[in-house]
Amino acid sequence: MTDRPAPWILGIDSGGSGLRVALARTGGAGRAAAPAPVGTASSGRPVRTGPAGIDAAHLLELALPRVRSLLAAAGADPAELRIDTVCVGAAGMATLGGELRAVLPEAFARELGARRVALAADAVTAYAGALGERPGAVVAAGTGVIATGTDLCSWRRADGWGHLLGDCGGGAWIGRAGLEAAMRAHDGRPGGSAALLARAEAVFGPVASLPEKLYPRTDRPAVLASFAPEVAGCADRDPVAARVVEEAAVHIAESATAVCPGSEGSLVALTGGLFKAGEPLLAPLRRELAVRLPHTRTVPAAGDPLAGALLLAGRLARDALRLPRDPALLHIR
């Protein structure tokens, strides 16, 4: 028998708005819930992306001081300042994570004594945070949309291709469709919406000057997505806005259907800021999911991607991980 505490685990969530870090013990990690963090820290600076992909040195520069501060704040004995298992969930890991996969395992072993390192796409940590290790599908929707599903044997992904090639039904898609309807009303073309024209002018000023305000910007998807709440807000009184939101619900349901396992009892969870639009979007989405996926049950997301990173780290530390490995989506060293 020993009173030695359970090993430390670390979860890292790296995305477009910054980096978050959570420290926990392995004890209490279960299939459907992440271990409770003893401390969290964040940076508002996103990890840089360069010619080689996501910059591993910059991620370490942001993460390591915060990890050491969390360990110190938790009162860790200097003799046990070792992280057993690390899980990094990063936006772009699947396509831009080559340098992270090459550098981070050895770096975390050297700097933190890590025995195992999991490098996951943010869609995978979103899945783990939302559903744990149960089969089903998770749709993460904000500016864009990506759906991830697993039968616990392999992963499936749909959309997440960016606002020019996809992200159908996401915030940028809704905002662009709403602004198109505003421009149609301005021109007197069919399909226009006077309500959306009024909201566009309230937000952006005269719509005739909107192209010069929008096209030069590098954050066009975010600007388009900023109009999505206006579209949802008009949906209960304007048929054009309602049609845009209903079409978005169809697209989101199509992505969920493309990745969801066919087994009875599979779960579907929705996560991300787009769903704060509420019933104008959720009501038609529930109807679509009921028709397309009658064998599933829609459940609230249990946690966010950072909780998912902790769950993956905790399960891996106990040699009990059930989610499937994948060279691009869930790489383990």
Side-chain angles (χ1 to χ4, degrees), residues 71-96:
L71 285 165
D77 186 325
E80 64 154 346
L81 289 184
R82 185 178 73 83
I83 304 291
D84 182 86
T85 304
V86 178
C87 177
V88 178
M93 178 71 77
T95 54
L96 300 172

Short mmCIF file of all heavy atoms in Angstrom, two decimals, residues 71-96:
data_model
loop_
_atom_site.label_atom_id
_atom_site.label_comp_id
_atom_site.label_asym_id
_atom_site.label_seq_id
_atom_site.Cartn_x
_atom_site.Cartn_y
_atom_site.Cartn_z
N LEU A 71 1.72 23.66 -11.72
CA LEU A 71 2.29 22.68 -10.79
C LEU A 71 2.69 23.34 -9.47
O LEU A 71 2.42 22.81 -8.39
CB LEU A 71 3.50 22.01 -11.43
CG LEU A 71 3.21 20.96 -12.51
CD1 LEU A 71 4.46 20.65 -13.32
CD2 LEU A 71 2.64 19.69 -11.89
N ALA A 72 3.30 24.51 -9.56
CA ALA A 72 3.70 25.22 -8.35
C ALA A 72 2.48 25.63 -7.53
O ALA A 72 2.45 25.49 -6.30
CB ALA A 72 4.54 26.44 -8.71
N ALA A 73 1.44 26.14 -8.21
CA ALA A 73 0.23 26.56 -7.51
C ALA A 73 -0.48 25.39 -6.86
O ALA A 73 -1.16 25.55 -5.83
CB ALA A 73 -0.71 27.27 -8.48
N ALA A 74 -0.34 24.19 -7.44
CA ALA A 74 -0.97 23.00 -6.88
C ALA A 74 -0.18 22.42 -5.71
O ALA A 74 -0.60 21.43 -5.11
CB ALA A 74 -1.14 21.94 -7.96
N GLY A 75 0.98 23.04 -5.40
CA GLY A 75 1.79 22.57 -4.29
C GLY A 75 2.52 21.28 -4.57
O GLY A 75 2.79 20.51 -3.64
N ALA A 76 2.85 21.05 -5.84
CA ALA A 76 3.54 19.82 -6.20
C ALA A 76 4.92 19.76 -5.56
O ALA A 76 5.65 20.75 -5.54
CB ALA A 76 3.67 19.72 -7.71
N ASP A 77 5.25 18.59 -5.02
CA ASP A 77 6.58 18.36 -4.47
C ASP A 77 7.60 18.45 -5.61
O ASP A 77 7.41 17.86 -6.67
CB ASP A 77 6.61 16.95 -3.86
CG ASP A 77 7.92 16.66 -3.13
OD1 ASP A 77 8.98 17.13 -3.59
OD2 ASP A 77 7.87 15.95 -2.12
N PRO A 78 8.68 19.22 -5.42
CA PRO A 78 9.68 19.33 -6.50
C PRO A 78 10.19 17.98 -7.00
O PRO A 78 10.56 17.83 -8.16
CB PRO A 78 10.81 20.14 -5.85
CG PRO A 78 10.13 20.94 -4.78
CD PRO A 78 9.03 20.06 -4.26
N ALA A 79 10.15 16.96 -6.12
CA ALA A 79 10.63 15.64 -6.52
C ALA A 79 9.66 14.95 -7.47
O ALA A 79 10.03 13.97 -8.13
CB ALA A 79 10.84 14.76 -5.28
N GLU A 80 8.42 15.42 -7.55
CA GLU A 80 7.43 14.77 -8.42
C GLU A 80 6.94 15.71 -9.52
O GLU A 80 5.85 15.57 -10.04
CB GLU A 80 6.23 14.26 -7.61
CG GLU A 80 5.42 15.34 -6.95
CD GLU A 80 3.97 14.93 -6.71
OE1 GLU A 80 3.52 13.93 -7.29
OE2 GLU A 80 3.29 15.64 -5.97
N LEU A 81 7.77 16.67 -9.88
CA LEU A 81 7.39 17.60 -10.94
C LEU A 81 7.52 16.92 -12.29
O LEU A 81 8.36 17.26 -13.13
CB LEU A 81 8.25 18.87 -10.89
CG LEU A 81 7.97 19.79 -9.71
CD1 LEU A 81 8.81 21.05 -9.81
CD2 LEU A 81 6.49 20.16 -9.63
N ARG A 82 6.69 15.93 -12.50
CA ARG A 82 6.70 15.17 -13.74
C ARG A 82 5.27 14.93 -14.18
O ARG A 82 4.41 14.55 -13.39
CB ARG A 82 7.40 13.82 -13.53
CG ARG A 82 7.57 13.00 -14.81
CD ARG A 82 8.32 11.71 -14.53
NE ARG A 82 7.50 10.75 -13.82
CZ ARG A 82 6.63 9.92 -14.39
NH1 ARG A 82 6.45 9.95 -15.71
NH2 ARG A 82 5.93 9.07 -13.68
N ILE A 83 5.02 15.21 -15.44
CA ILE A 83 3.71 14.95 -16.02
C ILE A 83 3.75 13.57 -16.65
O ILE A 83 4.59 13.30 -17.51
CB ILE A 83 3.36 16.00 -17.09
CG1 ILE A 83 3.44 17.42 -16.53
CG2 ILE A 83 1.98 15.72 -17.68
CD1 ILE A 83 2.38 17.76 -15.52
N ASP A 84 2.85 12.70 -16.24
CA ASP A 84 2.85 11.35 -16.78
C ASP A 84 2.42 11.33 -18.25
O ASP A 84 3.08 10.73 -19.09
CB ASP A 84 1.91 10.46 -15.97
CG ASP A 84 1.91 9.02 -16.46
OD1 ASP A 84 2.78 8.25 -16.01
OD2 ASP A 84 1.07 8.69 -17.32
N THR A 85 1.29 12.00 -18.55
CA THR A 85 0.71 11.94 -19.89
C THR A 85 0.23 13.33 -20.30
O THR A 85 -0.39 14.04 -19.49
CB THR A 85 -0.46 10.95 -19.94
OG1 THR A 85 0.00 9.67 -19.49
CG2 THR A 85 -1.00 10.81 -21.36
N VAL A 86 0.49 13.69 -21.55
CA VAL A 86 0.08 14.98 -22.11
C VAL A 86 -0.80 14.71 -23.32
O VAL A 86 -0.50 13.84 -24.14
CB VAL A 86 1.30 15.83 -22.54
CG1 VAL A 86 0.84 17.15 -23.18
CG2 VAL A 86 2.23 16.08 -21.37
N CYS A 87 -1.90 15.46 -23.43
CA CYS A 87 -2.70 15.44 -24.66
C CYS A 87 -2.83 16.86 -25.18
O CYS A 87 -3.30 17.75 -24.46
CB CYS A 87 -4.08 14.84 -24.41
SG CYS A 87 -5.13 14.88 -25.91
N VAL A 88 -2.43 17.07 -26.42
CA VAL A 88 -2.57 18.35 -27.09
C VAL A 88 -3.65 18.22 -28.15
O VAL A 88 -3.54 17.38 -29.04
CB VAL A 88 -1.25 18.80 -27.75
CG1 VAL A 88 -1.43 20.12 -28.48
CG2 VAL A 88 -0.13 18.89 -26.72
N GLY A 89 -4.68 19.04 -28.06
CA GLY A 89 -5.68 19.14 -29.12
C GLY A 89 -5.47 20.45 -29.85
O GLY A 89 -5.45 21.51 -29.22
N ALA A 90 -5.27 20.41 -31.15
CA ALA A 90 -4.92 21.62 -31.90
C ALA A 90 -5.74 21.73 -33.17
O ALA A 90 -5.90 20.76 -33.92
CB ALA A 90 -3.43 21.62 -32.25
N ALA A 91 -6.25 22.93 -33.41
CA ALA A 91 -6.89 23.22 -34.69
C ALA A 91 -5.87 23.09 -35.81
O ALA A 91 -4.76 23.62 -35.70
CB ALA A 91 -7.48 24.63 -34.67
N GLY A 92 -6.20 22.36 -36.85
CA GLY A 92 -5.27 22.16 -37.96
C GLY A 92 -4.31 21.00 -37.78
O GLY A 92 -3.44 20.79 -38.64
N MET A 93 -4.46 20.23 -36.71
CA MET A 93 -3.52 19.13 -36.47
C MET A 93 -3.48 18.15 -37.63
O MET A 93 -2.42 17.66 -38.03
CB MET A 93 -3.91 18.39 -35.18
CG MET A 93 -3.02 17.20 -34.85
SD MET A 93 -1.36 17.66 -34.31
CE MET A 93 -1.72 18.18 -32.62
N ALA A 94 -4.65 17.84 -38.20
CA ALA A 94 -4.70 16.81 -39.24
C ALA A 94 -3.88 17.19 -40.46
O ALA A 94 -3.19 16.34 -41.04
CB ALA A 94 -6.15 16.54 -39.64
N THR A 95 -3.91 18.46 -40.85
CA THR A 95 -3.24 18.88 -42.08
C THR A 95 -1.98 19.69 -41.85
O THR A 95 -1.11 19.73 -42.73
CB THR A 95 -4.20 19.71 -42.96
OG1 THR A 95 -4.72 20.79 -42.19
CG2 THR A 95 -5.36 18.85 -43.45
N LEU A 96 -1.85 20.33 -40.69
CA LEU A 96 -0.72 21.23 -40.42
C LEU A 96 0.10 20.80 -39.21
O LEU A 96 0.92 21.56 -38.72
CB LEU A 96 -1.23 22.67 -40.20
CG LEU A 96 -1.99 23.30 -41.36
CD1 LEU A 96 -2.60 24.63 -40.92
CD2 LEU A 96 -1.08 23.50 -42.56
#
